[in-house]
Amino acid sequence: DGMNLRLQTAAYQNNDDDIIIESKYSKTLIQLNNNKKISNDPKTWKCEESGRTDNLWLNLSTGYIGGGRKQWDGSGGSGAAIKHYEETGSIYPLAVKLGTITPAGADVYSYAPDEDCMVKDPLLAEHLAHWGIDIMRLEKTDKTLLEMEIEKNQSYDWNKIIEDTEELEICNAPGYKGLINMGSTCYMNSLLQVLLNCIPEIQERYLDLHTQII
């Protein structure tokens, strides 16, 4: 499984290199002189709001360390990183995922509304050095966003019904049984169920006469 994950990550990474853009904010990034320094020892990193030590993001402008966003299924971090961005006036958009930093680069995300995606920071080494982090000394200690996404797709039970991070009970009864989600068919499934349950002509053609069709 580990080898399979590495092979898939490498394949996706090759494609992502062409998709991830250079942030328009990277070369003019504001970095505060607040006498704050970040240790090069990953064991000392923790979310400044929750104290958690996983999925940590360093704001490159303020030096604030916060947890990543909570995902739709309830997993993920504390959400402190983006909360900090919003509470500081939404003017410090770039954050790097601690644990993914190596001499070759790292995961960098832009919270700016006109980007709101993974970005490239050509001055990342310089921006990290401002906070005392030597990019040449660090090794990867955490999963990248791409690795987390692939791992989630491999292990997640796509038949689960999730609402507001809570798993709902599956009902097997007329009118309650939906189509099986294969991981990328949820929108199609929803559309088909609306058509089959709300339009009488379609019900007559496909549901009422289903025995003849089959």
Side-chain angles (χ1 to χ4, degrees):
D1 290 340
M3 177 60 73
N4 186 40
L5 177 60
R6 287 193 292 272
L7 290 174
Q8 289 194 51
T9 301
Y12 282 112
Q13 187 67 59
N14 289 335
N15 293 328
D16 278 356
D17 285 341
D18 297 327
I19 298 173
I20 298 177
I21 62 171
E22 179 181 314
S23 173
K24 64 196 293 185
Y25 302 97
S26 60
K27 293 181 179 178
T28 57
L29 187 71
I30 299 171
Q31 291 195 282
L32 304 182
N33 292 311
N34 54 13
N35 297 318
K36 189 172 186 177
K37 294 298 178 184
I38 309 297
S39 169
N40 285 274
D41 182 1
K43 295 179 181 179
T44 65
W45 301 337
K46 63 181 179 180
C47 173
E48 296 185 31
E49 178 179 275
S50 68
R52 291 178 57 169
T53 58
D54 60 309
N55 194 16
L56 299 176
W57 292 79
L58 168 67
N59 188 293
L60 290 171
S61 291
T62 66
Y64 180 88
I65 297 177
R69 285 183 268 201
K70 180 177 288 188
Q71 302 303 311
W72 55 271
D73 64 346
S75 64
S78 63
I82 190 169
K83 180 180 177 182
H84 172 74
Y85 163 72
E86 294 167 346
E87 290 180 344
T88 52
S90 301
I91 58 175
Y92 306 123
L94 299 189
V96 60
K97 186 176 184 186
L98 296 173
T100 69
I101 303 170
T102 70
D107 277 3
V108 179
Y109 199 92
S110 173
Y111 293 125
D114 56 348
E115 291 182 335
D116 195 19
C117 62
M118 291 279 291
V119 294
K120 294 179 181 177
D121 178 6
L123 302 178
L124 179 59
E126 179 182 323
H127 291 152
L128 289 171
H130 179 85
W131 302 110
I133 296 178
D134 183 355
I135 195 172
M136 300 305 295
R137 292 176 53 190
L138 295 186
E139 296 180 353
K140 185 172 176 293
T141 59
D142 198 0
K143 294 184 179 71
T144 65
L145 289 182
L146 179 58
E147 290 170 336
M148 292 173 65
E149 180 180 349
I150 293 174
E151 192 174 71
K152 174 67 74 175
N153 288 336
Q154 288 179 333
S155 62
Y156 188 72
D157 180 3
W158 293 101
N159 290 319
K160 282 184 178 181
I161 303 175
I162 302 292
E163 183 174 322
D164 194 23
T165 73
E166 296 293 330
E167 183 176 354
L168 305 183
E169 182 179 352
I170 297 177
C171 298
N172 291 304
Y176 291 96
K177 184 65 175 177
L179 301 174
I180 294 176
N181 181 14
M182 297 186 297
S184 59
T185 60
C186 53
Y187 293 109
M188 181 184 73
N189 292 355
S190 299
L191 178 59
L192 286 174
Q193 290 183 90
V194 169
L195 292 175
L196 291 171
N197 285 282
C198 298
I199 301 178
E201 291 79 7
I202 293 181
Q203 291 178 337
E204 293 173 5
R205 178 68 178 84
Y206 295 102
L207 294 184
D208 297 344
L209 300 178
H210 74 281
T211 55
Q212 299 179 28
I213 296 174
I214 296 174

